[in-house]
C-alpha cells in the first residue's frame, strides 16, 4: 500500500455510539482513535473537521461474484429458469454475450469501493469447460485494484464437482494459481454424491492448507444432514476456523431442537455461516446462531447478473436488508447487522490490520447519521471514503444541466 505521507487529525467525528471521537493518522495508519480530550495534535498535523459526521470502519463483503455481474454492461432483463441446470446454461450464454469480464469486474469493483468496501471474498467460477479463464480475468483486476481492495479468492465449482468430470483437477490448478480457498455446492441435490464431493474438496484443503467455503442451498433435513457431514469432516481434518458454509438455507427450515444441535456442532468445529438474507426464502436465524457461538457474516452475493437483477454493491444497504428481513429493531440488533458487514466478515477472510484502532490501516467511511444503528436503518447514500489516510471518493453524484438547477430556489417549503 502506498503511504499517504501526511499527518492528519480528523476532529469533530462521532463514533458508533454517537460519542465525540478524534482520529489521527500518519503515513496511512492510525496513530490515535479515541476521545478528543485525550489527544493533542502535533504541530505538523493537518486538521480536518468532520462536523459531527459518523465514522465507521470500511465495509467487508464476505461473498461476491465479480465474474458474473453485468455492472459495466447494458441492463439485461432477468430470464426465468425452471431448474438449476437450466439457470447454469442460461448464465453461460449470457456471460458469453456480455461485455468483456475485465470491464465488468472493474466497474463493479469501482462501485463497491465508492460505497466504502475495503475488502471482499470473491467466488470465481471454475469447471472443466471454463478452466481458469474467469479466475485469470479476476486476478488481473485484483492486481489493478490491490491498493484499494483486499480480495480473497475462492475457486467455485458452480457446475458441480462429481457431476462435472475434470472439475476436481481444475480446482487443484486454481489452488496452485494462488486462490485462497476452494468451494463446493449442494453436494446432494446438485452433485448427487455428498460423500464424493466432500472427499474431493476436503482432500484439497488438507493437501494445500486452503480454506473451504461451500455454497449450500439445500433445504430442511437434506441441508441439516449436509451441515452435520461438513462439521464432522472439519473436525476430523483439523480444519477448525478454515471452513465456511454460505447460505445454509436449511437452517431457516428446521425446528428449535435440531437448530440447537447443529449450532453446537458448527460452533465446536468453528464453521462460519454466511447469509445475505435472500428475499424469497427462509435463511439462518442470525441471533440464535451467534448465541450458540457460531460466527455469522454477510456479503452481497450476486449483483445484477443472471441469477437476479438486484444489488449495487453497497454493504451498508446489505446490512439494512439483513436487519429488515431478520426483524432487527433494537439498536443492539442493528449493530449486529453492521458487525456482519465489517468485523465479522473481516475475521472470516483473515483481513488483519483492520478496524478503528491505533496502529491499523487508516481506512474508514464518513456518513451523516447520529450513530451506527441509525446508519444501518437508513443506509444513507451520501458518504465519503478515506483509504490509507487519504480521501478516496464516494458514490457518484448526478450531473445535471445547470439550467435545471437555476429554478430550484424556493422550490422547497420554508
Amino acid at each position: 500500500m502506498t503511504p499517504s505521507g501526511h499527518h492528519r487529525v480528523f476532529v469533530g467525528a462521532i463514533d458508533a455510539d454517537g460519542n465525540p471521537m478524534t482520529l489521527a493518522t500518519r503515513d496511512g495508519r492510525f496513530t490515535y482513535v479515541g476521545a478528543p480530550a485525550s489527544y493533542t495534535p502535533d504541530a505538523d498535523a493537518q486538521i480536518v473537521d468532520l462536523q459531527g459526521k459518523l465514522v465507521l470502519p470500511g465495509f467487508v463483503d464476505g461473498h461476491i461474484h465479480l465474474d458474473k455481474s453485468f455492472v459495466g454492461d447494458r441492463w439485461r432483463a432477468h430470464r426465468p429458469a425452471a431448474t438449476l441446470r437450466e439457470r447454469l446454461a442460461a448464465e453461460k450464454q449470457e456471460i458469453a454475450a456480455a461485455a468483456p469480464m475485465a470491464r465488468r469486474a472493474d466497474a463493479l469493483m469501482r462501485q463497491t469501493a465508492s460505497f466504502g468496501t475495503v475488502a471482499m471474498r470473491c467466488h470465481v467460477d471454475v469447471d472443466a469447460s471454463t478452466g481458469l479463464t474467469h479466475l485469470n480475468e479476476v486476478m488481473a483486476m485484483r492486481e489493478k485494484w490491490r491498493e484499494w481492495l483486499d480480495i480473497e479468492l475462492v475457486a467455485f465449482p458452480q457446475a458441480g464437482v462429481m457431476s462435472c468430470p475434470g472439475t476436481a483437477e481444475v480446482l487443484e490448478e486454481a489452488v496452485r494459481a494462488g486462490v485462497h480457498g476452494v468451494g463446493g455446492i449442494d453436494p446432494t441435490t446438485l452433485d448427487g454424491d455428498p460423500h464424493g464431493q466432500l472427499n474431493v474438496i476436503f482432500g484439497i484443503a488438507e493437501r494445500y492448507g486452503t480454506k473451504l467455503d461451500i455454497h449450500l442451498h439445500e433445504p430442511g433435513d437434506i441441508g441439516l444432514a449436509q451441515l452435520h457431514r461438513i462439521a464432522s469432516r472439519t473436525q476430523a481434518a483439523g480444519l477448525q476456523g478454515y471452513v465456511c458454509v454460505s447460505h445454509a438455507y436449511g437452517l431457516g427450515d428446521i425446528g428449535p431442537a435440531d437448530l440447537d444441535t447443529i449450532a453446537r456442532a458448527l460452533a465446536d468445529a468453528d464453521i462460519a455461516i454466511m447469509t445475505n438474507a435472500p428475499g424469497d426464502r427462509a435463511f439462518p436465524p442470525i441471533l440464535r446462531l451467534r448465541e450458540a457461538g457460531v460466527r455469522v457474516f454477510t456479503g452481497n452475493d450476486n449483483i445484477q447478473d443472471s441469477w437476479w437483477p438486484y444489488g449495487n454493491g453497497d454493504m451498508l444497504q446489505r446490512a439494512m436488508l439483513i436487519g429488515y428481513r431478520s426483524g432487527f429493531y433494537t439498536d443492539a440488533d442493528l449493530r449486529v447487522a453492521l458487525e456482519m458487514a465489517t468485523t465479522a466478515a473481516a475475521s472470516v477472510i483473515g483481513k488483519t490490520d483492520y478496524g478503528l484502532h491505533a496502529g491499523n490501516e487508516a481506512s474508514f467511511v464518513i456518513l451523516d447519521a447520529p450513530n451506527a444503528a441509525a446508519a444501518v436503518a437508513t443506509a444513507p447514500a451520501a458518504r465519503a471514503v478515506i483509504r490509507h489516510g487519504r480521501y478516496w471518493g464516494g458514490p457518484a453524484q448526478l450531473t445535471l444541466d445547470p439550467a435545471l438547477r437555476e429554478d430550484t430556489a424556493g422550490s422547497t417549503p420554508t
Side-chain angles (χ1 to χ4, degrees), residues 78-99:
H78 182 71
R79 291 169 52 182
T83 67
L84 180 56
R85 290 292 183 189
E86 189 177 314
R87 168 65 58 217
L88 295 175
E91 180 185 42
K92 280 189 177 291
Q93 293 172 1
E94 291 190 320
I95 286 179

Side-chain angles (χ1 to χ4, degrees), residues 227-228 230-232 234-235 239-245 251 258-273 286-296:
L227 288 167
H228 278 294
I230 293 168
S232 177
T234 299
Q235 294 271 35
L239 290 172
Q240 295 91 333
Y242 282 77
V243 180
C244 299
V245 176
L251 288 173
D258 284 336
L259 180 61
D260 288 344
T261 301
I262 188 58
R264 285 194 298 270
L266 293 170
D268 288 345
D270 194 12
I271 293 172
I273 299 292
I286 293 163
L287 298 183
R288 289 194 62 183
L289 290 172
R290 283 170 53 96
E291 288 167 4
V294 180
R295 293 186 291 160
V296 189

